[in-house]
Amino acid sequence: MTPLLIVISVVFGIAALLTLWRIVTGPSILDRAVAADVMLTEVMCVLGADMAINHHTRSLPVLLIIAALGVFGSISIARFVARRDNTNQ
């Protein structure tokens, strides 16, 4: 493991802890959804940095799956919140 990757992992680890705190304490479901998207983005950035530093593309399918999960998860939560808001009116 290169020193640059260690520094990147520490920085993103701290960001992940802060994001996890927002997921746990978020006052609304939308705050938690945004924090979950941020967490997925952080994981993608760490994997992308690993690919760039070590000159490989083995993690590319994992990146694509994580991106798809983030998009579909955000759409699902948005539809759920929109449907819930419509029934409350």
Side-chain angles (χ1 to χ4, degrees):
M1 192 173 218
T2 64
L4 181 60
L5 191 58
I6 292 172
V7 170
I8 290 171
S9 298
V10 168
V11 169
F12 278 113
I14 293 169
L17 288 175
L18 292 172
T19 304
L20 187 62
W21 176 74
R22 175 53 68 188
I23 289 173
V24 171
T25 63
S28 71
I29 191 169
L30 293 177
D31 290 329
R32 290 183 172 101
V34 169
D37 283 341
V38 169
M39 183 72 83
L40 287 175
T41 304
E42 290 169 1
V43 170
M44 289 175 58
C45 288
V46 169
L47 287 173
D50 176 53
M51 286 179 11
I53 291 170
N54 294 325
H55 306 292
H56 67 81
T57 57
R58 293 184 303 261
S59 303
L60 195 58
V62 176
L63 284 173
L64 292 173
I65 291 170
I66 291 172
L69 284 175
V71 169
F72 294 140
S74 296
I75 291 170
S76 299
I77 291 172
R79 289 185 63 160
F80 171 74
V81 170
R83 188 174 298 143
R84 188 177 65 177
D85 286 345
N86 286 339
T87 59
N88 288 338
Q89 292 177 355

